[in-house]
């Protein structure tokens, strides 16, 4: 029986169909030198992340060694090799946010989400990461969910900040 795959991007299909799309997409860039990063971005948006199976297909279609593809995937933090949540929470732990309560935000989130920073919740809603500075130091402590910035966050605010995202967004 075929499994239906629901990835972050909203692309759905059987595993076989998604891998076929990945192959078609990558094969369109066969002779285009320097297109690896662009292809990996597109493939990640189709498949949701870049496991080894997917990296292998990209390598085959672009005529590159798997080690080259794997090296690029591991170098850039925006490439994921494990499934991500639909939304990404980033808590800033840069200096300004750290001294103004960032640690308690991280600890509270870990408790509420039931995961450590770096993890993804079992329901697939959130991936939770630590950021080093999100450019909003005057609003410390700050966090983001996808592209939304939350300023001067207090641990007590977290349930009401998270709640709307379970239904698809802010
Ligand atoms: S240190 Fe947190 S936004 Fe800059």
């Amino acid at each position: 029986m075929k499994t239906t795959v629901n990835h972050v991007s909203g692309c759905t299909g059987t595993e076989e169909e998604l891998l076929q799309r990945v192959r078609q997409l990558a094969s369109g860039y066969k002779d285009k030198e320097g297109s690896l990063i662009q292809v990996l971005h597109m493939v990640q948006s189709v498949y949701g992340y870049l496991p080894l199976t997917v990296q292998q297909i990209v390598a085959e279609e672009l005529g590159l060694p798997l080690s080259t593809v794997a090296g690029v995937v591991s170098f850039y933090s925006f490439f994921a090799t494990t499934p991500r949540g639909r939304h990404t929470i980033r808590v800033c732990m840069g200096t300004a946010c750290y001294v103004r309560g960032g640690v308690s935000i991280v600890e509270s989130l870990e408790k509420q989400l039931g995961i450590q920073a770096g993890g993804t919740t079992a329901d697939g809603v959130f991936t939770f990461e630590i950021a080093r500075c999100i450019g909003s130091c005057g609003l410390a402590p700050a966090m983001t969910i996808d592209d939304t910035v939350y300023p001067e966050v207090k641990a007590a605010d977290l349930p009401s900040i998270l709640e709307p995202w379970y239904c698809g967004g802010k």
Side-chain angles (χ1 to χ4, degrees):
M1 191 174 126
K2 291 178 176 178
T3 310
T4 300
V5 180
N6 269 299
H7 289 294
V8 183
S9 60
C11 286
T12 57
T14 63
E15 184 71 21
E16 214 172 282
E17 287 165 349
L18 286 171
L19 291 176
Q20 185 56 30
R21 285 192 64 190
V22 164
R23 192 173 288 284
Q24 282 169 351
L25 214 161
S27 73
Y29 288 80
K30 226 180 202 54
D31 302 316
K32 295 185 180 150
E33 214 175 299
S35 59
L36 178 56
I37 291 179
Q38 185 186 356
V39 170
L40 289 172
H41 268 298
M42 291 188 297
V43 164
Q44 183 165 269
S45 76
V46 167
Y47 197 83
Y49 66 109
L50 301 169
L52 204 55
T53 332
V54 169
Q55 294 177 39
Q56 180 73 58
I57 291 172
V58 171
E60 284 168 16
E61 293 304 322
L62 296 185
L64 295 170
L66 176 59
S67 58
T68 301
V69 176
V72 168
V73 168
S74 64
F75 183 78
Y76 292 103
S77 62
F78 43 76
F79 292 133
T81 55
T82 53
R84 294 182 63 86
R86 287 201 306 278
H87 305 293
T88 301
I89 299 172
R90 290 194 175 91
V91 175
C92 182
M93 287 290 274
T95 308
C97 292
Y98 180 85
V99 299
R100 297 189 67 182
V103 175
S104 77
I105 306 300
V106 169
E107 288 172 352
S108 297
L109 272 172
E110 286 180 338
K111 210 167 177 181
Q112 284 180 49
L113 297 172
I115 54 172
Q116 299 289 300
T120 295
T121 54
D123 58 9
V125 176
F126 294 112
T127 290
F128 169 35
E129 297 175 340
I130 302 293
R132 288 301 157 203
C133 178
I134 57 173
S136 303
C137 307
L139 305 173
M143 63 180 265
T144 58
I145 301 182
D146 296 343
D147 294 330
T148 303
V149 178
Y150 292 90
E152 299 174 349
V153 178
K154 294 177 193 66
D157 300 335
L158 291 171
S160 59
I161 288 174
L162 297 185
E163 199 274 329
W165 294 91
Y166 284 100
C167 313
K170 185 176 89 122

